[in-house]
Every structure is written in structure tokens, then in C-alpha cells.
Amino acid sequence: MTDASRPEPEAAELVRPYVITKGRSLPDHEQFSLITLITAVTDHQQRPNRLSPEEQKLLTMCTGGYLSVAEIAGHTRLPLGVVKILLAALAEGGYIVIRPPAARAQVTDVRILEEVLNGLRAKFG
């Protein structure tokens, strides 16, 4: 296969993740799960031009509403770890709003549910 017939790699494939993240390490594991929701702050004047192209892309993507960390990684085609590092940097700068997943609801006692059901049956037949 000659060089002319090879498809051009995308820009994200040309740059190593270490360069994109500026050598930063992964944030706290609990800060960004796959289903953590992210949106950009509404104040557009707060965004400086010093952000990397990848960070700018994440902010633009999150401007329309909430996206999960998994969706952001899928749309950008960046590794999940890289996305988490970039999101952590944006959070430190105050550029994004993080909405953690809701806590799991406690399981209701089955006896209480049966009593409610029996009460409804007695009242409404």
C-alpha cells in the first residue's frame, strides 16, 4: 500500500493523550462516573481563549444541555480517561456544571407495599 492510498488519520489520533491532558493525572474516581451529567455554565463571557482546542470543543458540545461523560467521550472519540481529565480541568476553572448521578433509592419494605395494596383494594374494590 502506498502512502498516497492510505487514509489520513484524524487529528485526535495524531496527538498523544499525554499532550492533550498536559500531563495531568486522572481525577478522583467518584467525581466523574460514566453517567455523571455535564453542562457548560451559562455565562459565555467567562470563557477565555487560553483553553486548549479539546477543552473548547467540550465546552461547545456541552452548551446545549446536559450530556453524560460517556456521551462526551463517544462524540469526541477521545479515551474516557482523557475526557475525565479535561472535564476536571474545566470544573476547576468553573466552566462546567457537574450533576452527579442520583443516589440509589432504598428498597421499600414489601409488607408496607402489601398493606397499601390491600387498603386500595378495600377502598376501591
Side-chain angles (χ1 to χ4, degrees):
M1 183 178 248
T2 63
D3 288 336
S5 65
R6 256 188 241 156
E8 287 290 320
E10 292 193 26
E13 296 174 2
L14 295 175
V15 181
R16 294 275 186 206
Y18 182 83
V19 175
I20 294 172
T21 62
K22 299 176 185 167
R24 294 175 287 209
S25 61
L26 280 169
D28 182 20
H29 181 67
E30 296 174 5
Q31 184 178 11
F32 295 106
S33 72
L34 290 176
I35 58 174
T36 300
L37 297 176
I38 309 292
T39 192
V41 295
T42 55
D43 184 14
H44 296 290
Q45 297 173 355
Q46 185 178 341
R47 296 184 189 172
N49 293 331
R50 313 182 283 245
L51 296 176
S52 71
E54 292 82 13
E55 290 170 330
Q56 289 284 357
K57 184 176 180 179
L58 291 181
L59 280 178
T60 302
M61 185 182 307
C62 295
T63 300
Y66 282 96
L67 288 173
S68 70
V69 173
E71 290 173 314
I72 294 169
H75 289 304
T76 59
R77 294 185 170 182
L78 290 172
L80 184 60
V82 171
V83 170
K84 286 181 177 183
I85 292 169
L86 294 175
L87 289 174
L90 291 172
E92 287 174 10
Y95 303 116
I96 59 173
V97 176
I98 302 169
R99 185 173 168 196
R104 278 199 129 146
Q106 292 181 350
V107 178
T108 306
D109 188 8
V110 175
R111 289 179 293 150
I112 294 174
L113 294 175
E114 288 174 352
E115 288 178 25
V116 170
L117 182 61
N118 292 336
L120 290 172
R121 283 184 182 153
K123 179 142 181 123
F124 298 107

